[in-house]
Amino acid sequence: MQCPICGSKAFRVLKSRTDESRSRKIKHLVLECEECGTVFRDSLVIEKPESHRIIISEHGSSYRDEVDLYPHEEVSAGDAISVSGKLVEITSLELKSGKRVDKATAADVETLWAVSLEAPARVGISVDLHGEVYSRKVEVDRDFEFRVGDVMKIDEHVFKIRSIKTEDGMVRRGSVPARRIKRVYGYPVNLRFRHDLTDMIV
């Protein structure tokens, strides 16, 4: 808001009246410019947040909650938001048309899909015992990094990581945080291990 005569944004409120609907509040104002003394009218539209359904994934199961978003707020996959006091990351958005997208204005969104950022990451471990596969799941901190070539222990098996399966494909070099990993593949070795995952089995 600014003075229509001198353009100043410094003013004081002389009168204020509010009209309210389900989706927004409108403040009707009578203002006096502090620079030139001009009295003028203006309105301020305040949108109300709207409730949206959100499906949150946690360890292979999902639960439903609701989150309030302003209609013109832009939301994107990868955004971290608070839902019922818990931090989640948006993974995709479902529009009212049924289409799935990575970015949208909240007014167009029917359902948000998300993953919990507070629960530990659950990672599958598969060790090839020369034909027989030893397979377990472990829960580790979401930022715990698995690196191809690292030597680890799980139960009585000491293994070296050969490859890592992520949401985007196979990784055969480098490291990946647990939050992005679906499964770690390894083979047995007789070497000193870096991490013992035994107590983390679920």
Side-chain angles (χ1 to χ4, degrees):
M1 290 184 287
Q2 63 183 39
C3 175
I5 303 302
C6 70
S8 172
K9 294 183 179 179
F11 48 80
R12 64 190 184 95
V13 178
L14 300 179
K15 288 183 182 179
S16 175
R17 177 175 60 83
T18 302
D19 291 334
E20 192 165 346
S21 68
R22 190 181 64 82
S23 61
R24 62 184 184 174
K25 289 196 291 187
I26 303 176
K27 283 180 123 11
H28 301 283
L29 306 168
V30 178
L31 308 167
E32 182 181 19
C33 177
E34 293 185 349
E35 293 292 327
C36 68
T38 299
V39 175
F40 62 100
R41 296 176 183 273
D42 209 336
S43 297
L44 181 64
V45 178
I46 305 169
E47 291 182 328
K48 291 181 180 177
E50 296 178 352
S51 183
H52 292 265
R53 180 174 57 216
I54 183 166
I55 309 297
I56 301 168
S57 175
E58 189 173 298
H59 297 326
S61 61
S62 299
Y63 64 93
R64 175 179 166 169
D65 207 327
E66 291 188 342
V67 61
D68 287 340
L69 299 170
Y70 288 95
H72 289 95
E73 186 175 348
E74 189 175 83
V75 285
S76 304
D79 287 350
I81 60 173
S82 178
V83 179
S84 299
K86 295 182 179 180
L87 200 61
V88 304
E89 180 181 325
I90 297 171
T91 54
S92 70
L93 307 161
E94 183 179 332
L95 302 182
K96 292 175 180 176
S97 64
K99 184 180 179 182
R100 285 279 191 108
V101 296
D102 291 332
K103 182 186 290 187
T105 301
D108 299 326
V109 175
E110 179 72 24
T111 304
L112 295 91
W113 298 82
V115 62
S116 171
L117 290 178
E118 299 202 350
R122 187 170 288 185
V123 176
I125 306 288
S126 292
V127 182
D128 184 357
L129 304 176
H130 307 298
E132 182 183 345
V133 177
Y134 170 89
S135 183
R136 293 290 185 273
K137 285 188 176 180
V138 297
E139 282 188 358
V140 296
D141 187 276
R142 297 180 62 79
D143 293 325
F144 182 89
E145 295 220 339
F146 288 86
R147 181 180 296 277
V148 175
D150 272 0
V151 177
M152 298 185 167
K153 179 178 183 293
I154 186 166
D155 278 343
E156 71 273 19
H157 304 291
V158 178
F159 68 97
K160 180 179 279 192
I161 297 176
R162 172 183 287 140
S163 60
I164 300 170
K165 184 179 181 181
T166 72
E167 304 155 345
D168 304 315
M170 295 297 290
V171 173
R172 292 183 172 81
R173 291 195 326 187
S175 62
V176 183
R179 64 180 178 274
R180 292 185 49 224
I181 296 174
K182 290 187 174 294
R183 185 160 293 274
V184 170
Y185 297 93
Y187 58 94
V189 291
N190 290 314
L191 298 170
R192 290 187 62 180
F193 54 87
R194 185 176 178 196
H195 297 287
D196 189 342
L197 302 176
T198 306
D199 292 340
M200 302 172 189
I201 295 174
V202 292

